[in-house]
Amino acid sequence: GAVVSQHPSRVICKSGTSVKIECRSLDFQATTMFWYRQFPKQSLMLMATSNEGSKATYEQGVEKDKFLINHASLTLSTLTVTSAHPEDSSFYICSARESPLRVNSPLHFGNGTRLTVT
Amino acid sequence: DAKTTQPNSMESNEEEPVHLPCNHSTISGTDYIHWYRQLPSQGPEYVIHGLTSNVNNRMASLAIAEDRKSSTLILHRATLRDAAVYYCILYNNNDMRFGAGTRLTVKP
């Protein structure tokens, strides 16, 4: 089946530094990828929708200058948390849709990145 | 905002069937009903989806009400590995927002 690889799985960084999270579709092309954030005991919150070759669409309340998304190829999207602060500590999850021709194709998710900002 | 409502939690005994309900009274004609589940510290996993007709796959069955305002995910024989949070989502093109989901506990 379709596989989405997310890296790193866990990262600890100091306050003020930036962290990049990669999301790769390993065996399919993904024109659309989604980025989510999840706090403990809560559901996934959609942060942004990333379309290959164009700017990402951010959800209301998500700072686009803080959470930089780049979807430069059909198999890779990156999320960079800039100037991270402890309140950015969370579980970040990406997902990808398998085919642009099947608008209802299921999403495939990465295994998430646990970010801890000290 | 999520367009589905699910019970916060449910319990089941191992080897017994589980019926997980989902209400989506504002569903539109082009919305598909998707189900995903999430195990602790992992990303969600696709379970099943449908539009109008009931669907079966190796993981589960999906029963969709005739008016499409509700659906039920059926796990025919729950195992301990089925303990997870189950999310019911209305999916239309690029709109993929999660509600709170149902936390399923499976008792041995």
Side-chain angles (χ1 to χ4, degrees):
Chain A
V3 176
V4 173
S5 174
Q6 189 172 338
H7 178 81
S9 59
R10 188 179 293 268
V11 59
I12 301 172
C13 70
K14 293 190 176 182
S15 188
T17 61
S18 295
V19 174
K20 180 185 283 188
I21 302 169
E22 292 188 348
C23 180
R24 293 181 184 274
S25 56
L26 295 186
D27 49 1
F28 65 97
Q29 293 185 334
T31 54
T32 303
M33 290 187 176
F34 300 90
W35 286 95
Y36 298 85
R37 181 167 54 182
Q38 186 175 35
F39 293 107
K41 303 292 185 185
Q42 294 187 21
S43 183
L44 284 76
M45 185 191 79
L46 180 64
M47 299 176 67
T49 302
S50 163
N51 291 298
E52 186 267 337
S54 63
K55 290 184 178 179
T57 302
Y58 290 81
E59 294 298 302
Q60 192 173 6
V62 178
E63 300 175 57
K64 63 180 181 182
D65 294 330
K66 180 169 184 62
F67 298 100
L68 300 178
I69 292 173
N70 186 304
H71 193 162
S73 79
L74 287 171
T75 59
L76 174 65
S77 177
T78 61
L79 167 68
T80 301
V81 183
T82 62
S83 186
H85 291 284
E87 57 265 32
D88 298 324
S89 298
S90 188
F91 192 50
Y92 292 86
I93 306 169
C94 71
S95 69
R97 201 175 75 186
E98 189 164 349
S99 167
L101 298 179
R102 295 172 54 204
V103 295
N104 181 47
S105 55
L107 288 190
H108 303 283
F109 288 82
N111 264 334
T113 297
R114 176 80 56 195
L115 171 63
T116 303
V117 185
T118 60
Chain B
D1 292 332
K3 297 176 281 189
T4 62
T5 51
Q6 301 174 250
N8 289 335
S9 62
M10 290 186 67
E11 279 190 358
S12 170
N13 293 318
E14 196 176 10
E15 302 293 314
E16 290 186 356
V18 182
H19 290 231
L20 298 166
C22 181
N23 287 320
H24 29 79
S25 58
T26 60
I27 191 169
S28 73
T30 54
D31 285 338
Y32 281 78
I33 301 159
H34 279 236
W35 283 81
Y36 295 81
R37 70 181 186 182
Q38 185 180 25
L39 279 66
S41 298
Q42 294 186 25
E45 170 189 30
Y46 166 76
V47 178
I48 200 167
H49 77 277
L51 182 62
T52 57
S53 303
N54 294 344
V55 184
N56 299 297
N57 66 20
R58 64 174 180 81
M59 289 182 71
S61 295
L62 176 61
I64 301 173
E66 199 168 329
D67 63 4
R68 300 212 321 128
K69 294 186 176 182
S70 66
S71 62
T72 302
L73 179 71
I74 302 166
L75 306 179
H76 295 286
R77 291 180 66 189
T79 69
L80 297 179
R81 288 182 293 181
D82 290 323
V85 178
Y86 286 78
Y87 297 100
C88 164
I89 300 162
L90 298 184
Y91 186 26
N92 188 332
N93 206 3
N94 276 345
D95 190 353
M96 179 58 84
R97 291 179 178 80
F98 283 70
T102 296
R103 183 174 299 276
L104 175 65
T105 302
V106 180
K107 296 183 289 183

